[in-house]
Amino acid sequence: MTDDTSRTTHFGFTDIPESEKAGKVQGVFGSVASKYDVMNDAMSFGIHRIWKDAMMDWLAPRPGQKLLDVAGGTGDISFRFLKRAGSGHATVLDLTEPMLVAGRQRAEADAMSGSLDWVVGDAMALPFPDNSFDVYTISFGIRNVTRPQEALNEAFRVLKPGGRLMVLEFNQIPNDMMQKVYDLYSFNIIPRMGQVIAKDSDSYQYLVESIRKFPDQETFLGMVRAAGFEQAKYRNLSMGIACLHSGWKI
Ligand SMILES: C[S@@+](CC[C@H](N)C(=O)[O-])C[C@H]1O[C@@H](n2cnc3c(N)ncnc32)[C@H](O)[C@@H]1O
């Protein structure tokens, strides 16, 4: 029998007690926060912007909607959402305060300050009542959460009936050849880039390992459905390097 204190999870390729994961994840993002946006552009050649725009295209934000952007980091998704919606409100929630601090220093945060909240919190225990938001997003965040199914259950709880979930994440590349090329790049180049730009190769080693440990698209689709979401679907981006999952609380 496994009780709560003896359960383990993965931190990249290392198995650790579940109770240690959140602290280690905070360590990673606390360390890279001030260079996070620059590193995102460098390691994806700017392509993360195209994936985030694709998320907005599918989401089609509408005026007046209330967004909860979990693991929202430096605000990329919330800024895009508010620009597209024209009016509305976004709450950026993240476990790591330095990520939110870096987000608040961005020019967009200043321009949109009346429509934005920044909240420190955990995706697995959201500090909001049931049925509070029209839209829930989590972009490149859920693979860092200790128990992703609990985060999805929480998403379902805080969404209003009729609300929409959208997850952007690296799942698994369906093509073996592409996967090999991607592994060569991600395991050999990204940690080195992390060392040069953020002076921290270990954090970027964790990030690339965590991608390999995340469930494939179909398995994750099952988890979205298990949380209660209907019309659950996914779309691969850039041949499956990244993927969008969508679901509705009906
Ligand atoms: C790769 S960043 C993504 C930031 C942003 N969403 C983006 O797409 O650029 C992952 C973020 O997830 C946050 N995070 C990890 N575990 C979390 C949890 N359990 N609850 C809330 N945020 C979490 C980290 O602190 C970090 O800011």
Side-chain angles (χ1 to χ4, degrees):
M1 213 134 138
T2 315
D3 63 26
D4 273 1
T5 51
S6 61
R7 265 198 238 152
T8 59
T9 186
H10 47 81
F11 178 73
F13 290 163
T14 312
D15 284 332
I16 56 166
E18 273 197 348
S19 56
E20 289 178 14
K21 179 147 173 174
K24 284 183 173 288
V25 166
Q26 269 176 325
V28 165
F29 290 101
S31 159
V32 303
S34 63
K35 297 282 185 232
Y36 176 80
D37 291 318
V38 178
M39 260 308 279
N40 262 358
D41 278 333
M43 66 188 173
S44 76
F45 307 103
I47 293 170
H48 74 104
R49 294 167 182 257
I50 295 171
W51 296 332
K52 288 168 179 165
D53 287 341
M55 185 187 212
M56 290 301 126
D57 290 344
W58 198 9
L59 201 52
R62 293 194 301 279
Q65 283 186 320
K66 256 180 94 178
L67 166 72
L68 175 61
D69 181 27
V70 171
T74 59
D76 263 4
I77 298 301
S78 291
F79 300 150
R80 279 176 172 72
F81 178 89
L82 289 173
K83 269 184 212 147
R84 296 264 190 133
S87 67
H89 189 274
T91 302
V92 187
L93 176 136
D94 202 284
L95 193 64
T96 312
E97 194 166 14
M99 289 290 281
L100 299 177
V101 170
R104 291 184 90 140
Q105 287 165 357
R106 289 173 59 173
E108 297 101 314
D110 208 23
M112 299 177 190
S113 61
S115 314
L116 270 170
D117 283 331
W118 303 82
V119 176
V120 177
D122 187 338
M124 298 193 302
L126 296 173
F128 307 110
D130 300 356
N131 308 321
S132 305
F133 296 93
D134 301 297
V135 180
Y136 173 111
T137 52
I138 183 162
S139 156
F140 302 121
I142 200 158
R143 74 173 190 281
N144 300 294
V145 174
T146 308
R147 294 184 294 278
Q149 186 65 57
E150 280 180 31
L152 291 170
N153 298 347
E154 275 291 87
F156 190 82
R157 182 183 69 74
V158 300
L159 276 170
K160 297 177 190 169
R164 179 97 182 263
L165 164 89
M166 193 152 299
V167 183
L168 174 58
E169 193 48 273
F170 297 107
N171 293 88
Q172 298 303 328
I173 302 175
N175 176 301
D176 283 351
M177 190 53 140
M178 272 284 298
Q179 183 70 62
K180 286 202 179 94
V181 174
Y182 182 74
D183 281 351
L184 269 176
Y185 170 70
S186 59
F187 285 103
N188 292 301
I189 310 287
I190 291 181
R192 286 185 192 150
M193 251 185 214
Q195 183 57 39
V196 173
I197 298 175
K199 307 279 172 279
D200 182 350
S201 63
D202 289 352
S203 291
Y204 283 91
Q205 181 70 29
Y206 157 72
L207 288 176
V208 295
E209 289 179 6
S210 65
I211 293 171
R212 289 304 260 129
K213 297 298 282 186
F214 199 68
D216 64 36
Q217 285 77 334
E218 284 294 328
T219 306
F220 190 69
L221 186 66
M223 292 167 66
V224 169
R225 290 190 176 125
F229 289 100
E230 295 191 30
Q231 295 178 34
K233 296 185 181 113
Y234 67 86
R235 289 181 184 173
N236 282 327
L237 304 172
S238 305
M239 291 187 285
I241 294 176
C243 182
L244 285 167
H245 279 79
S246 158
W248 294 84
K249 175 171 173 178
I250 297 191

